[in-house]
Every structure is written in structure tokens, then in C-alpha cells.
Amino acid sequence: MAERRIRWGVISTANIGRAAVNPAIQASRNGRLDAVASRDGERAREFATAHSIPTWYGSYEALLDDPDIDAVYIPLPNSLHREWAVRAAEAGKHVLCEKPLALDAAECLDMEAAARANGVKLMEAFMYRFHPRTKRVVEMVRSGLIGDVKAIRTAFTFRLTRKDNIRLDPTLGGGALMDVGCYCVNVSRTIVGAEPVSVQAVAQWTERGVDEALAGMLHFPEGVVSHFDCSLTMERSEAFEVAGTDGYLRVPAAFLPGTGPVGIEEVRGREPVKTHTLEGTDEYLLMVEHFADCILLDVEPRYSASEAAANMRVIEALYRSARSGGVSVTL
Ligand SMILES: NC(=O)c1ccc[n+]([C@@H]2O[C@H](COP(=O)([O-])OP(=O)(O)OC[C@H]3O[C@@H](n4cnc5c(N)ncnc54)[C@H](OP(=O)(O)O)[C@@H]3O)[C@@H](O)[C@H]2O)c1
């Protein structure tokens, strides 16, 4: 692998690129951020200048036409993920695409087929999975530390202040479940290690028909239940708990822990809480380095688009339930 670095381009001047993923690419040991594209050439130029990106383009197509770009990072509104991931794959670019990978499972599978047909890698940018703590929690659960898992409780909420935010636009794939509930679904499936057999949800809808808050329940085999709430209208909260027959694990700041030390709290009745502390790290950096390694070594990314499709199948079922007043929907 020696000195080779992946030459990345970012499609759009999105906030999440600016705040977290672009700097991670720039700091990575095996990549560099060579270009940014925007719908607006002047915006691209300003962004590139402000963030030390050598090349800018006034259209996404122009970036895809650049033969010196190996991989693109796509932080577009959800409704545009499929189109630009497929176009990037057809242009021979590897694709790291923001979560949720697409609007539904069928779109995820289209993207996977395009990547396969064009011999490029594709991965959903669910960064929390790359934090060593997530793996550690799964290992602790599998080791039997808290007995048999019975329930998972999750929340991911925050308060949106801008009405023109993409998350409130139904034509762009907005909604609390799409934006943050997708983490609750993903972490529940990861911890249980199985797919839910049925789901239920209730939601509060905006006038435009976007779920600004949604509470969901996932029924897994053997009676394991996961319940969660996600919202675009509540104070920030992002945490999960795994409850077992012998104790439970609490994971605060579960998805966006920052780069400082993190904890896993082991709780048993009234005994003093035992906190397992892990060193801080940058989950975005670990994610982009993993993806670039997969390209350099020509191995498949740890998380496939089929896995993203499985998450979307659950999200689709939750929306069906929420739109029908909370009926149970079988998967
Ligand atoms: N993993 C994470 O931690 C994380 C965190 C936040 C968001 N995300 C995901 O990242 C994606 C982007 O979220 P964001 O909050 O960063 O979005 P954002 O700041 O609103 O940026 C989206 C970008 O898409 C481009 N765009 C193209 N067509 C657009 C349209 N019709 N309306 C609005 N923008 C359009 C714009 O760039 P140009 O004008 O420059 O072309 C815009 O800057 C979403 O999929 C979201 O779920 C992930």
C-alpha cells in the first residue's frame, strides 16, 4: 500500500462535509481531498479556497469527468443519493455516500448493482459503526455480560431551527426517521444481530407531510424488543441502552461522541455503576481510512449496500405503520 493515497472529490458544499468528513479525508493517512463540486461555481470556489481544496467545479458532472479523482464522498440530500452514486459508479469512481444510503431498499440495491457492474466500491457513511466503542458494546453483549438481551432503548433527537433545512422537505427525503431514527434502527439490528419480524410506529407530521418526530418499536425473534424515539423538534439526546436478564449497558453520546474519551456504563440493580472508559478517536477518520484501504487493497468494505438495504426495509415498514396509525407491519 506504501505511499499511494486515494484522491477524493466531494460532491456539494454540504455542512457535514465541511464540519466532519472533509477534514477527516484531509487528515487521513491514505487519502487526500483534491476537489469539490457545487451546483454553483462561485460557491465551489469559495468553499475550496476556505478549506484548502485545490480544485473546484461548478457542476457535479464536471467532478465525475475528472480522471484524477478515484473516489467521491456524497453528502447530498437523501433524494439525490441514488442518482449521484450511480452516476459516479458509471464514471468509475468509488462512492462513500451519506446515510441513509437511499430513499428505500430498492434504491440501495440499484446502487449496489451499479457499483458491482463498474467494479467500484460503495459504502454508506454511518460513521458511528467505526467507533471502537460500538464494537466493544457488541462484544460485551455477546459475551453474556448482561445475560440474555431482552430490550434496547434508543433515542436520537435534536431541534431544527431553520425551516428551509433539507430535513423538512418531503421532496428531498426529509424526516426524523430518515435523518436520525435510521441510527436507532441500525444500532438495534447490529446489537441483536438479526432483522426485526414486525414493527410499529407513531409519528407527528408537519403540514408538508414530513415526520418531525417518530416513536417506533421493533420486534425481533425470541421476544427481543427495541423501542426508540427520534425527533427534529426536541433538545439533543442521543444514547442507547441494552437491557438483559442480569444487567444493562448504557451508552451516552452514542452516535456523535466527539473525539474525547467515551464510556460504557454497566449497571446492575442498585450496585454502583461500573464505567468502562475507552480512548477518544475520530470515528469519521476511521471510516474514511477504512474505505480508502478497501480501494487500495481491493477488498469489500465492512458494510455492504445490501446491509443498508436491510436497514431501509425496516424504515420503510416503520413509515407504513406510522401512516396507518401505528398498526403492526410484518417484515
Ligand atoms: N454522518 C453524519 O454525521 C451526518 C450528519 C449530518 C448529515 N448527514 C447526511 O449528509 C447529507 C447532507 O446533510 P447536510 O445537513 O450536510 O446537508 P446540507 O448542509 O443541506 O447540504 C446539502 C448539499 O447538497 C447540495 N444540494 C443539491 N441539491 C440540493 C437541493 N435541492 N437542496 C439543498 N441542497 C442541495 C447543496 O450543495 P451545493 O449547493 O454546493 O451543490 C447542499 O450544500 C444527508 O444525507 C444527511 O443525512 C450525515
Side-chain angles (χ1 to χ4, degrees), residues 12-17 37-40 43 60 75-78 80-81 98-100 125 127 166-167 172 179 183 256 284:
S12 89
T13 56
N15 281 324
I16 184 60
S38 170
R39 294 167 298 172
D40 178 308
R43 190 154 58 239
Y60 304 157
L76 289 169
N78 302 331
L80 297 175
H81 290 180
E98 267 306 339
K99 45 53 61 178
M127 70 300 173
I166 57 170
R167 290 160 183 77
L172 297 178
D179 191 49
Y183 288 88
L256 295 169
Y284 294 97

Side-chain angles (χ1 to χ4, degrees), residues 8 10 12-28 33 47 51 53 73 75 96 98-99 125-128 167 183 255-259 281-289:
W8 291 81
V10 54
S12 89
T13 56
N15 281 324
I16 184 60
R18 179 186 47 73
V21 181
N22 301 351
I25 293 171
Q26 288 172 318
S28 65
L33 183 52
F47 191 89
H51 302 289
I53 303 171
Y73 162 56
L96 177 66
E98 267 306 339
K99 45 53 61 178
F126 253 135
M127 70 300 173
Y128 87 97
R167 290 160 183 77
Y183 288 88
F255 308 110
L256 295 169
T259 54
T281 185
D282 179 345
E283 57 190 1
Y284 294 97
L285 179 68
L286 296 177
M287 173 178 72
V288 299
E289 288 186 341

Side-chain angles (χ1 to χ4, degrees), residues 217-288:
M217 179 113 82
L218 314 179
H219 301 271
F220 286 93
E222 296 174 28
V224 179
V225 167
S226 166
H227 46 101
F228 71 91
D229 63 279
C230 55
S231 172
L232 307 175
T233 62
M234 283 202 278
E235 181 53 88
R236 174 170 287 278
S237 153
E238 36 122 2
F240 69 88
E241 289 181 1
V242 189
T245 46
D246 300 340
Y248 62 96
L249 299 176
R250 280 198 306 233
V251 183
F255 308 110
L256 295 169
T259 54
V262 295
I264 304 168
E265 295 166 1
E266 184 184 336
V267 187
R268 284 173 209 282
R270 293 186 179 153
E271 287 176 26
V273 173
K274 183 174 168 188
T275 301
H276 304 255
T277 305
L278 280 76
E279 272 176 30
T281 185
D282 179 345
E283 57 190 1
Y284 294 97
L285 179 68
L286 296 177
M287 173 178 72
V288 299

Side-chain angles (χ1 to χ4, degrees), residues 177 185 196-203 214-219 225-228 314-315 317-323 325-331:
L177 177 57
V185 173
V197 289
S198 66
V199 305
Q200 288 166 275
V202 290
L214 182 142
M217 179 113 82
L218 314 179
H219 301 271
V225 167
S226 166
H227 46 101
F228 71 91
V314 179
I315 289 173
L318 284 162
Y319 274 131
R320 278 204 295 282
S321 173
R323 291 201 179 95
V327 297
S328 175
V329 172
T330 305
L331 276 114

Side-chain angles (χ1 to χ4, degrees), residues 172-196:
L172 297 178
L177 177 57
M178 289 293 278
D179 191 49
V180 279
C182 61
Y183 288 88
C184 305
V185 173
N186 194 269
V187 77
S188 299
R189 295 175 44 254
T190 301
I191 285 170
V192 179
E195 299 301 327

